[in-house]
């Protein structure tokens, strides 16, 4: 039965239904007219054709010459006989074969081991599709390696007859280490080492050749495992000596000539608000009341681009890394310490070079004037978030009047943003208290209070206004820029999530993007009143597109900004360094334009590095959660069922927010998982387990290598079948 039978759908609903239909029927090829008949809707052919064209532009659908539309998953097999080359990332299986994952599609290309041509897991490659097919899947061969996914590896060292070898893991080949360079290195069989590959194999079956850059010692410590997370994602553990030397040569003296080129605001009240353990302070806020009664607020950002000149060794290293990586117990910085914690860090009571966005607010909290440019500041005070929060709540303390007014204006900015459709996604963030060895001794949920949001609101403002300024330059054509973009949610994922949320009594309005945003915000509000609904927030986020960097601005849906960039964190993001350079060159009467195609390639690299950093951060959190829970094997906890798969139910512990699994074979009876994956039913008792149900569990075991926690249910109040009572495992 078609729930939309006879109805006229909105443009957004129409795209959702078309997307769902073709995903469910990937073999179908239909015209706009016949699709309308299949969907049993009253929309005219033109509106359906328009929706089809939009999905085609987005890459989800393809069209034949006779204007029949079909799902993108068929594209590769259609191209196969032509021998066309495609680019993508290689994923090598444990058997040694590979798959090239094609960006923007649901298809990949199988590459047998014999056709890898020396390419390795994670490499970006060009693959040529060959005619012979395997079970309908397109098959290809690597014709060129465009970019190596990793240059540094971590693995176990062992000695053969004439050479040493390092085994990274099962998807990478052993790396040959010539013995001569090891004369000055103390190393033993079985040591975990870091190697840099110097010679890549040109033919399959050959070993890469590398040199050892660091000996970490015997396997088994969390320190080595955390370093392994960084190495596995392609981030180096330290800077090359040449990079450190280049940083060391940078002068700490600010010359009078440099000061003369900048707006001097050292006499204006300025301070920083950061985490209590921060060392790299890359933003500061200034505050003053102007003679006309207006309020002037300055957002001052470390002028990293002053110290890192384009094309230099430091610049190349910063671009290669593109981001700082924040693991639970350490930071892998984008810049050497001399820059990140000294020259560029806006430490109190020191003159610092900054790039500023300064805003004049009238008495209605509206911006009446803005200014961008190079400045020199002198921070009067360094606050932690906790210290600033005390002042906000007590309305007393250092710079209390300034902080009170900043908080009031930040609230006005926030209210306006949400009024315009910004989405308030604030999921619970787990924080760790570590001992002196980096071992977690306490877990807690981070609190986001007014002091955090105050800084966030002014950073958002600066990022938005910088992007708006550059986009507004029309003389001579477009000025290519690094935008932070965020597309609309995936229609198919969104429709599935709406059905899922409905099981919890949450109704989603999918008629327009604005209504969708409002539905998300309503869910956040309701989740504050109902703990069970917090389970929906991570699932809701998964429906959203991933934010990324691009020269092609489509706006930022999540923030409801037409123009948005990243300008406020150049110490830890290379995107911001690029934004600073482009903005600086376009503040005068003449305008500078970088090559848009080259800038877009940089955006893609930075986006890829950001994704790797996020993966590393998530892995470190999971690792520390498992490490922490290893202290509680045998103990009982209250939890909430947070997911279901064929093997069992995932349970999030209420106290620690750690997630583990209770396999179905740990229950008193077999369970059948419902197709919705929202519930499972006992085959004998008909007892129902549902998403969001509270459950008492016992920690049975932890596996830190696999990052898993196995739980068993405490079944005191659950029905037990008499014949199985002796078989229960607790």
């Amino acid at each position: 039965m078609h729930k939309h039978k006879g109805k006229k759908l909105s443009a957004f609903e129409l795209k959702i239904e078309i997307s769902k239909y073709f995903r469910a029927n990937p073999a179908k090829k239909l015209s706009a007219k016949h699709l309308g008949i299949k969907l049993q809707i009253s929309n005219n052919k033109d509106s359906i054709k328009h929706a089809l064209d939009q999905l085609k532009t987005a890459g989800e659908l393809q069209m034949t010459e006779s204007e029949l539309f079909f799902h993108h998953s068929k594209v590769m097999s259609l191209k196969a006989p032509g021998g066309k080359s495609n680019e993508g990332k290689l994923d090598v299986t444990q058997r040694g074969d590979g798959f090239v994952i094609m960006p923007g599609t649901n298809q990949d290309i199988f590459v047998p081991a014999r056709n890898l041509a020396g390419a390795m897991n994670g490499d970006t490659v060009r693959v040529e599709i060959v005619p012979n097919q395997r079970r309908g899947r397109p098959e290809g061969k690597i014709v060129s390696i465009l970019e190596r996914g990793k240059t540094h590896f971590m693995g176990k060292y062992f000695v053969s007859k004439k050479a040493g070898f390092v085994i990274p893991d099962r998807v990478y080949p052993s790396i040959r280490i010539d013995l001569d360079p090891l004369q000055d290195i103390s190393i033993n069989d079985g040591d975990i080492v870091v190697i840099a590959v110097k010679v890549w194999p040109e033919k399959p079956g050959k070993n890469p050749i590398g040199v050892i850059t660091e000996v970490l010692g015997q396997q088994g410590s969390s320190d080595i495992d955390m370093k392994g997370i960084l190495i596995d994602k392609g981030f180096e553990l330290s800077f090359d000596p040449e990079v450190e030397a280049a940083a060391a040569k940078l002068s700490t003296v600010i010359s009078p000539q440099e000061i003369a080129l900048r707006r001097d605001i050292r006499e204006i009240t300025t301070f920083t608000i950061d985490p209590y353990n921060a060392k790299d302070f890359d933003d500061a806020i200034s505050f003053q009341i102007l003679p006309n009664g207006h309020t002037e607020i300055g957002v001052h950002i470390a002028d990293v681009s002053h110290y890192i000149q384009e094309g230099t060794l430091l610049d190349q290293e910063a671009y290669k890394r593109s981001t700082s990586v924040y693991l639970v117990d350490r930071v892998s910085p984008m810049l050497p310490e001399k820059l990140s914690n000294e020259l560029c860090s806006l430490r109190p009571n020191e003159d610092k070079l900054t790039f500023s966005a300064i805003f004049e607010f009238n008495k209605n909290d509206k911006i009446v004037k803005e200014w961008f440019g190079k400045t020199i500041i002198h921070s009067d005070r360094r606050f932690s978030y906790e210290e600033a929060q005390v002042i906000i709540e007590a309305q007393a303390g250092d710079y209390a009047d300034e902080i009170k007014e900043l908080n009031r204006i930040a609230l006005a900015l926030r209210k306006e943003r949400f009024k315009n459709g910004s989405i308030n996604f604030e999921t619970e963030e787990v924080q760790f208290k570590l001992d002196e060895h980096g071992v977690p001794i306490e877990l807690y949920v981070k609190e986001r209070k007014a002091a955090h949001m105050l800084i966030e609101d002014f950073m958002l403002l600066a990022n938005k206004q910088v992007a708006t300024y550059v986009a507004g330059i029309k003389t001579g054509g477009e000025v290519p820029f690094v935008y932070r973009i965020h597309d609309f949610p995936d229609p198919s994922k969104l429709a599935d999530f709406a059905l899922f949320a409905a099981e919890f009594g949450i109704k989603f309005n999918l008629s327009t993007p604005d209504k969708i945003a409002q539905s998300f915000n309503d869910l956040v509000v309701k989740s504050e009143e109902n703990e069970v609904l917090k389970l929906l927030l991570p699932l809701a986020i998964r429906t959203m597109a991933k934010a990324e960097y691009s020269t092609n601005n489509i706006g930022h849906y999540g923030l409801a900004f037409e123009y948005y960039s990243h300008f406020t964190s150049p110490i830890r993001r290379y995107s911001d360094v690029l934004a600073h350079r482009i903005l600086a060159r376009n503040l005068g009467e003449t305008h500078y334009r970088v090559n848009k195609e080259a800038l877009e390639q940089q955006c893609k690299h930075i986006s890829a590095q950001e994704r790797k950093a996020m993966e590393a951060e998530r892995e470190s959190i999971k690792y520390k959660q498992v490490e922490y829970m290893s202290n509680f094997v045998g103990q009982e906890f209250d939890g909430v069922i947070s997911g279901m798969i064929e093997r069992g139910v995932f349970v999030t512990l209420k106290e620690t927010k750690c997630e583990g699994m209770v396999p179905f074979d740990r229950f008193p009876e077999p369970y059948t998982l419902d197709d919705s994956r929202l519930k499972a039913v006992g085959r004998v008792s008909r007892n129902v387990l549902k998403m969001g149900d509270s459950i008492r569990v016992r920690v049975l075991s932890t596996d830190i290598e696999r990052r898993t926690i196995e739980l068993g249910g405490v079944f005191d109040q659950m029905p037990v079948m008499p014949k199985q009572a002796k078989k229960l495992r607790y």
Side-chain angles (χ1 to χ4, degrees):
M1 185 73 181
H2 291 265
K3 63 178 181 178
H4 296 300
K5 185 175 181 179
K7 292 184 179 179
K8 184 177 181 179
L9 305 182
S10 70
F12 200 78
E13 288 176 315
L14 183 57
K15 283 204 293 186
I16 290 175
E17 291 305 312
I18 292 174
S19 176
K20 285 173 61 178
Y21 179 84
F22 278 110
R23 284 172 185 260
N25 301 277
K28 295 283 188 181
K29 295 181 183 178
L30 295 173
S31 66
K33 178 181 178 181
H34 286 105
L35 180 61
I37 295 171
K38 288 284 186 183
L39 295 177
Q40 298 185 24
I41 54 179
S42 62
N43 295 66
N44 61 39
K45 186 179 76 172
D46 289 339
S47 67
I48 296 173
K49 177 65 165 55
H50 179 68
L52 287 165
D53 286 338
Q54 286 185 312
L55 290 170
K56 176 176 173 290
T57 301
E60 185 165 345
L61 301 180
Q62 290 287 303
M63 184 181 72
T64 67
E65 291 182 1
S66 55
E67 294 196 356
L68 297 178
F69 290 84
F70 58 95
H71 196 261
H72 202 295
S73 61
K74 293 183 65 65
V75 174
M76 292 301 171
S77 57
L78 289 169
K79 289 182 180 176
K84 184 172 181 178
S85 293
N86 296 273
E87 295 178 7
K89 185 159 288 189
L90 177 65
D91 183 17
V92 178
T93 68
Q94 303 290 357
R95 295 175 53 188
D97 299 322
F99 293 88
V100 176
I101 302 166
M102 308 304 296
T105 75
N106 295 319
Q107 185 64 289
D108 51 35
I109 302 169
F110 173 75
V111 181
R114 67 179 182 277
N115 288 342
L116 290 178
M120 300 204 300
N121 189 59
D123 290 350
T124 301
V125 299
R126 182 170 288 117
V127 58
E128 182 177 285
I129 301 174
V130 295
N132 51 313
Q133 303 283 307
R134 284 167 56 99
R135 301 191 187 99
R137 179 188 293 278
E139 184 175 310
K141 63 179 181 180
I142 306 296
V143 293
S144 62
I145 299 167
L146 304 177
E147 183 182 0
R148 289 290 181 180
K150 292 171 63 174
T151 57
H152 286 66
F153 298 82
M154 194 171 88
K156 186 175 290 187
Y157 174 79
F158 71 94
V159 180
S160 186
K161 291 181 180 179
K162 294 184 179 181
F165 287 87
V166 172
I167 308 174
D169 64 39
R170 286 179 291 175
V171 300
Y172 291 103
S174 297
I175 299 170
R176 178 188 173 103
I177 309 292
D178 290 332
L179 289 179
D180 287 345
L182 300 182
Q183 291 175 350
D184 296 328
I185 297 179
S186 176
I187 187 170
N188 300 304
D189 259 16
D191 276 351
I192 304 299
V193 300
V194 179
I195 60 269
V197 173
K198 299 299 182 183
V199 180
W200 297 96
E202 296 182 0
K203 296 180 180 179
K206 298 292 183 180
N207 296 99
I209 299 174
V211 296
I212 291 177
T213 61
E214 191 172 351
V215 179
L216 303 178
Q218 292 293 306
Q219 194 167 17
S221 74
S222 65
D223 178 62
I224 289 178
D225 290 340
M226 297 299 273
K227 288 177 178 176
I229 290 173
L230 289 169
I231 290 291
D232 183 59
K233 298 302 176 186
F235 295 100
E236 298 175 28
L237 301 182
S238 59
F239 292 94
D240 289 339
E242 296 85 357
V243 175
E244 292 282 11
K249 290 178 182 177
L250 294 172
S251 174
T252 59
V253 177
I254 300 175
S255 69
Q257 292 83 357
E258 183 61 39
I259 294 175
L261 296 172
R262 295 169 177 263
R263 180 170 171 176
D264 191 341
I265 59 169
R266 287 177 288 181
E267 299 303 315
I268 300 175
T269 298
T270 303
F271 42 78
T272 61
I273 305 177
D274 289 280
Y276 74 93
N277 57 352
K279 294 180 180 178
D280 54 343
F281 313 131
D282 53 9
D283 59 80
I285 300 288
S286 68
F287 179 95
Q288 70 171 334
I289 301 298
L290 300 175
N292 62 3
H294 290 178
T295 302
E296 181 186 88
I297 297 173
V299 178
H300 310 290
I301 309 302
D303 191 2
V304 174
S305 61
H306 171 79
Y307 295 100
I308 298 183
Q309 297 299 307
E310 190 171 358
T312 61
L313 184 62
L314 284 169
D315 182 49
Q316 292 169 15
E317 181 71 14
Y319 171 65
K320 182 176 74 172
R321 294 174 179 247
S322 287
T323 181
S324 294
V325 189
Y326 294 85
L327 304 190
V328 170
D329 64 347
R330 70 198 65 204
V331 178
S332 174
M334 184 181 82
L335 301 175
E337 187 173 355
K338 170 97 181 257
L339 281 156
S340 59
N341 294 351
E342 185 180 342
L343 282 176
C344 297
S345 186
L346 307 183
R347 301 185 300 197
N349 305 313
E350 296 180 12
D351 289 351
K352 292 292 181 180
L353 301 181
T354 48
F355 202 154
S356 302
I358 299 176
F359 306 100
E360 182 180 330
F361 290 84
N362 65 17
K363 294 186 177 181
N364 295 318
D365 300 328
K366 301 298 182 184
I367 296 173
V368 294
K369 186 178 180 181
E370 63 183 21
W371 180 91
F372 307 108
K374 298 292 186 87
T375 52
I376 181 168
I377 71 166
H378 187 95
S379 176
D380 299 291
R381 175 76 149 81
R382 183 258 165 135
F383 291 97
S384 68
Y385 283 123
E386 291 77 13
E387 290 169 335
Q389 185 63 35
V390 169
I391 293 170
I392 290 172
E393 293 175 1
Q395 301 284 288
D398 288 353
Y399 302 103
D401 290 341
E402 290 86 346
I403 290 176
K404 176 183 176 182
E405 188 65 7
L406 284 167
N407 187 53
R408 189 191 63 76
I409 295 175
L411 284 168
L413 292 171
R414 200 176 314 146
K415 182 179 179 180
E416 182 70 14
R417 178 159 55 86
F418 287 124
K419 178 183 174 183
N420 292 334
S422 183
I423 299 174
N424 181 25
F425 270 139
E426 290 187 14
T427 57
E428 292 182 329
E429 183 180 344
V430 176
Q431 299 278 288
F432 297 81
K433 184 178 180 181
L434 308 174
D435 67 13
E436 64 273 18
H437 303 294
V439 176
I441 55 176
E442 183 183 344
L443 270 66
Y444 57 95
V445 175
K446 176 182 176 181
E447 284 190 273
R448 271 176 52 81
K449 294 189 175 181
H452 296 85
M453 293 184 280
L454 180 159
I455 293 299
E456 180 180 277
D457 285 318
F458 284 111
M459 297 306 116
L460 289 173
L461 174 66
N463 287 332
K464 180 183 75 166
Q465 295 305 112
V466 163
T468 302
Y469 171 81
V470 176
I473 299 172
K474 303 299 182 184
T475 306
E478 176 193 9
V479 173
F481 194 55
V482 179
Y483 294 100
R484 182 70 169 174
I485 62 171
H486 185 227
D487 206 349
F488 294 118
D490 179 280
S492 179
K493 289 181 181 178
L494 191 59
D496 290 341
F497 174 74
L499 291 173
F500 187 87
E503 296 286 336
F504 292 82
I506 300 298
K507 185 176 180 181
F508 260 67
N509 187 333
L510 305 181
S511 59
T512 68
D514 288 345
K515 294 294 185 183
I516 293 168
Q518 185 58 53
S519 295
F520 279 126
N521 285 331
D522 290 344
L523 171 61
V524 172
V525 172
K526 290 175 182 176
S527 71
E528 292 300 319
E529 304 165 359
N530 184 349
E531 192 78 15
V532 171
L533 296 181
K534 288 185 178 179
L535 295 172
L536 294 177
L537 297 181
L539 302 176
I541 290 173
R542 290 176 200 167
T543 70
M544 307 294 283
K546 296 286 189 297
E548 59 186 3
Y549 299 103
S550 178
T551 58
N552 300 307
N553 181 56
I554 61 169
H556 196 294
Y557 173 70
L559 292 172
F561 290 161
E562 184 178 1
Y563 302 104
Y564 189 64
S565 66
H566 273 168
F567 169 79
T568 54
S569 294
I571 290 177
R572 62 184 179 89
R573 294 189 304 228
Y574 193 78
S575 58
D576 304 48
V577 177
L578 290 175
H580 281 212
R581 286 176 181 160
I582 295 170
L583 177 62
R585 289 172 171 175
N586 287 279
L587 291 175
E589 294 297 323
T590 59
H591 300 300
Y592 176 84
R593 291 168 175 80
V594 299
N595 181 282
K596 185 173 181 178
E597 186 175 336
L599 186 61
E600 181 64 22
Q601 290 305 310
Q602 289 180 305
C603 287
K604 288 181 178 178
H605 169 76
I606 296 167
S607 295
Q609 290 297 98
E610 179 190 44
R611 287 192 292 272
K612 291 178 185 177
M614 291 173 65
E615 290 168 5
E617 290 161 17
R618 283 195 294 266
E619 280 195 33
S620 80
I621 292 170
K622 188 66 176 176
Y623 182 99
K624 290 297 181 183
Q625 286 178 319
V626 177
E627 185 179 22
Y628 178 73
M629 291 306 300
S630 66
N631 299 311
F632 300 97
V633 172
Q635 295 189 30
E636 295 180 7
F637 294 86
D638 289 320
V640 175
I641 295 177
S642 53
M644 293 188 175
I645 59 174
E646 285 78 5
R647 290 198 304 114
V649 298
F650 290 103
V651 175
T652 298
L653 306 184
K654 293 180 179 179
E655 184 179 338
T656 67
K657 304 303 176 183
C658 298
E659 186 179 67
M661 175 187 275
V662 183
F664 280 128
D665 64 11
R666 295 279 184 188
F667 284 89
E669 61 176 310
Y671 273 78
T672 300
L673 182 66
D674 189 76
D675 289 342
S676 67
R677 298 201 172 204
L678 293 172
K679 64 181 179 180
V681 181
R683 296 181 188 175
V684 176
S685 67
R686 310 310 295 171
N687 180 64
V688 178
L689 301 172
K690 302 190 303 298
M691 284 277 289
D693 279 355
S694 293
I695 183 172
R696 185 80 174 169
V697 294
R698 180 178 287 113
V699 180
L700 299 180
S701 65
T702 58
D703 188 330
I704 206 160
E705 186 175 340
R706 294 169 57 203
R707 321 278 201 264
T708 57
I709 302 169
E710 184 173 1
L711 305 172
V714 179
F715 305 118
D716 294 342
Q717 297 179 358
M718 293 183 65
V720 178
M721 296 177 290
K723 291 183 180 180
Q724 288 193 343
K726 293 182 180 180
K727 297 182 181 180
L728 289 184
R729 291 176 287 178
Y730 296 98

